[in-house]
mmCIF file of all heavy atoms in Angstrom:
data_model
loop_
_atom_site.group_PDB
_atom_site.id
_atom_site.type_symbol
_atom_site.label_atom_id
_atom_site.label_comp_id
_atom_site.label_asym_id
_atom_site.label_seq_id
_atom_site.Cartn_x
_atom_site.Cartn_y
_atom_site.Cartn_z
ATOM 1 N N LEU U 30 -25.721 13.347 20.803
ATOM 2 C CA LEU U 30 -26.828 14.030 20.152
ATOM 3 C C LEU U 30 -28.160 13.499 20.655
ATOM 4 O O LEU U 30 -29.100 14.238 20.901
ATOM 5 C CB LEU U 30 -26.725 13.870 18.637
ATOM 6 C CG LEU U 30 -25.550 14.618 17.980
ATOM 7 C CD1 LEU U 30 -25.456 14.230 16.504
ATOM 8 C CD2 LEU U 30 -25.728 16.124 18.122
ATOM 9 N N PRO U 80 -105.385 -8.389 14.673
ATOM 10 C CA PRO U 80 -105.317 -7.313 15.669
ATOM 11 C C PRO U 80 -105.292 -7.878 17.084
ATOM 12 O O PRO U 80 -105.818 -8.961 17.357
ATOM 13 C CB PRO U 80 -106.599 -6.519 15.419
ATOM 14 C CG PRO U 80 -106.996 -6.865 14.018
ATOM 15 C CD PRO U 80 -106.575 -8.284 13.825
ATOM 16 N N TYR U 150 -81.875 5.429 11.634
ATOM 17 C CA TYR U 150 -81.076 6.302 12.489
ATOM 18 C C TYR U 150 -81.889 6.792 13.680
ATOM 19 O O TYR U 150 -83.069 7.113 13.557
ATOM 20 C CB TYR U 150 -80.556 7.493 11.684
ATOM 21 C CG TYR U 150 -79.455 7.112 10.722
ATOM 22 C CD1 TYR U 150 -79.760 6.722 9.416
ATOM 23 C CD2 TYR U 150 -78.119 7.110 11.130
ATOM 24 C CE1 TYR U 150 -78.747 6.352 8.535
ATOM 25 C CE2 TYR U 150 -77.111 6.741 10.256
ATOM 26 C CZ TYR U 150 -77.424 6.358 8.960
ATOM 27 O OH TYR U 150 -76.427 5.988 8.093
#
Side-chain angles (χ1 to χ4, degrees):
L30 291 173
Y150 287 90

